[in-house]
């Protein structure tokens, strides 16, 4: 506590601007977020590209704090990463994933939840301990859990990151390269990585319906990824023509507002039940 006050005073007297004060406030409040039960998860449906049916979900964190109100993940996740708090959040998300797998009305042979790992998670042995703990509860977790990592998380310390990814792959977990195309790695480099899935960033997918350039990029990415034996996901599908086009290109899985925004677990369960009776 005293250390915190010192930092605060130091920053204050050195003319800290409003944005930095907000960041300090967020960090201070975020430390209590798990204990105070302020976090929730939304589920964004993962859609089979061919059939249009829901085959899983990505888990996305939401945080509501009494003092700060709703704070978006784009604001608090980077701060959680810098401070190391992210490891606590990742554990919380993964524990909820196991609970959801028990609770949701799903055929566990053909259903997976995706969770986002940060660079900090990937570069720490805590992820290995976390997975081992979860497997005590659910020994077959590898069938139903996909771990999403970004290129930037890997390039920050490739040897270290690849060692952990290998461990996850050897245990049978799906590993997805998130936001693919926004980094600087080529598919040839991706090929060296122990991953199962490529998730094409929404920057290329959103404009598909009326951008010939993005169509070329996405078409060739799908082709090459398939030749390398990777499963291909497109995120940010916002209209039906984009879905139909991706179908023609043989894309495997989709996410996007056209199908659904991220929704609560209750709404997601209802969606699954609705599809089962359709
Ligand atoms: P992401 O992993 O790339 O997640 C996808 C983001 O795109 C989500 O934003 C989702 O709501 C949004 N999205 C989905 N479909 C569409 C669409 O059709 N159009 C548009 N415009 N957006 C769409 P969200 O939930 O705000 O999350 C933002 C980022 O925060 C995530 O990007 C991820 O990097 C991070 N994040 C969220 N939850 C977690 C978490 O539990 N752990 C970690 N490490 N990061 C997380
Ligand atoms: Ca993601
Ligand atoms: Ca993404
Ligand atoms: Ca992103």
């Amino acid at each position: 506590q005293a250390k915190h006050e010192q930092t605060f005073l130091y920053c204050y007297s050195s003319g800290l601007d409003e944005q930095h004060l907000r960041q300090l406030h967020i960090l201070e409040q975020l430390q209590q977020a798990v204990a105070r039960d302020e976090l929730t998860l939304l589920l964004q449906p993962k859609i089979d590209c061919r059939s249009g049916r829901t085959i899983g979900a990505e888990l996305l964190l939401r945080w509501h704090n009494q003092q700060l109100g709703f704070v978006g993940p784009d604001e608090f996740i980077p701060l959680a990463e810098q401070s190391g708090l992210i490891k606590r959040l990742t554990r919380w998300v993964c524990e909820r994933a196991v609970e959801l797998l028990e609770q949701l009305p799903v055929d566990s042979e053909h259903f997976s939840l995706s969770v986002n790992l940060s660079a900090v998670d990937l570069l720490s042995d805590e992820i290995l301990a976390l997975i081992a703990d979860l497997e005590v509860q659910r020994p077959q977790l590898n069938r139903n859990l996909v771990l999403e990592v970004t290129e930037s998380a890997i390039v920050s310390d490739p040897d270290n990151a690849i060692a952990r990814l290998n461990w996850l792959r050897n245990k049978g977990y799906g590993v997805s390269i998130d936001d693919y195309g926004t980094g600087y790695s080529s598919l040839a480099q991706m090929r060296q990585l122990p991953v199962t899935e490529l998730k094409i960033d929404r920057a290329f997918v959103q404009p598909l319906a009326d951008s010939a350039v993005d169509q070329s990029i996405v078409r060739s990415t799908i082709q090459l990824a398939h030749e390398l034996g990777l499963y291909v996901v497109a995120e940010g599908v916002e209209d039906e023509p984009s879905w139909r086009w991706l179908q023609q290109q043989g894309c495997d899985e989709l996410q996007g507002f056209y199908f659904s925004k991220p929704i609560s677990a209750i709404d997601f369960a209802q969606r699954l039940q609705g599809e089962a009776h359709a």
Side-chain angles (χ1 to χ4, degrees):
Q1 194 65 36
K3 195 178 165 214
H4 230 91
E5 278 168 25
Q6 265 173 16
T7 321
F8 182 84
L9 282 174
Y10 167 76
C11 295
Y12 188 73
S13 57
S14 65
L16 192 71
D17 59 39
E18 239 171 82
Q19 197 202 335
H20 285 117
L21 284 174
R22 178 171 166 84
Q23 290 180 350
L24 283 180
H25 197 181
I26 287 175
L27 271 176
E28 178 217 345
Q29 291 296 307
L30 195 56
Q31 282 175 18
Q32 314 296 324
V34 173
R36 289 190 195 136
D37 204 18
E38 295 178 343
L39 298 170
T40 50
L41 280 177
L42 293 184
L43 290 78
Q44 186 176 39
K46 302 199 289 181
I47 307 294
D48 177 66
C49 187
R50 226 171 292 177
S51 66
R53 295 178 76 87
T54 305
I55 51 175
E58 177 177 4
L59 303 184
L60 294 159
L61 262 175
R62 294 295 180 266
W63 177 37
H64 184 265
N65 174 261
Q66 216 161 31
Q67 294 175 19
L68 292 155
F70 279 103
V71 184
D74 286 326
E75 190 173 15
F76 73 79
I77 296 281
L79 294 171
E81 288 174 351
Q82 286 162 34
S83 63
L85 269 176
I86 190 72
K87 288 190 264 183
R88 222 183 295 166
L89 302 187
T90 300
R91 175 171 277 274
W92 187 83
V93 172
C94 291
E95 287 171 353
R96 296 289 84 66
V98 171
E99 282 178 9
L100 283 166
L101 286 168
E102 308 286 336
Q103 291 162 0
L104 289 169
V106 294
D107 164 13
S108 55
E109 288 287 308
H110 304 103
F111 185 88
S112 63
L113 293 177
S114 298
V115 303
N116 292 285
L117 295 186
S118 73
V120 180
D121 295 309
L122 203 54
L123 299 178
S124 153
D125 276 338
E126 276 176 58
I127 187 68
L128 314 186
L130 170 58
I131 294 285
D133 288 348
L134 298 172
E135 285 179 347
V136 172
Q137 268 172 277
R138 196 179 170 91
Q140 310 278 32
L141 184 63
N142 60 358
R143 295 189 190 175
N144 309 112
L145 191 71
V146 176
L147 303 157
E148 297 192 1
V149 300
T150 59
E151 289 168 69
S152 56
I154 296 169
V155 298
S156 65
D157 183 353
D159 291 346
N160 217 341
I162 288 170
R164 303 249 159 53
L165 290 179
N166 265 319
W167 185 86
L168 290 166
R169 280 297 306 130
N170 288 334
K171 289 185 76 74
Y173 287 90
V175 176
S176 178
I177 296 291
D178 199 359
D179 301 346
Y180 180 74
T182 58
Y184 294 96
S185 341
S186 66
L187 256 183
Q189 288 166 301
M190 290 294 114
R191 194 177 129 255
Q192 322 270 8
L193 296 176
V195 302
T196 52
E197 175 181 306
L198 205 72
K199 194 163 181 180
I200 303 173
D201 193 74
R202 66 167 189 258
F204 305 99
V205 177
Q206 265 170 333
L208 268 183
D210 39 39
S211 162
V213 173
D214 289 300
Q215 286 178 11
S216 305
I217 294 169
V218 172
R219 184 189 297 115
S220 55
T221 303
I222 293 173
Q223 259 175 28
L224 196 49
H226 277 163
E227 279 167 35
L228 298 173
L230 297 171
Y231 183 80
V232 182
V233 183
E235 66 175 11
V237 178
E238 295 189 352
D239 51 64
E240 180 166 6
S242 301
W243 171 26
R244 297 301 172 196
W245 186 87
L246 286 158
Q247 232 172 10
Q248 279 170 13
Q249 306 306 319
C251 186
D252 299 297
E253 189 179 296
L254 311 172
Q255 277 177 254
F257 293 170
Y258 175 69
F259 297 98
S260 172
K261 290 181 307 184
I263 52 181
S264 71
I266 291 170
D267 289 346
F268 184 78
Q270 256 169 22
R271 179 187 174 95
L272 289 175
Q273 255 144 8
E275 284 185 19
H277 297 125

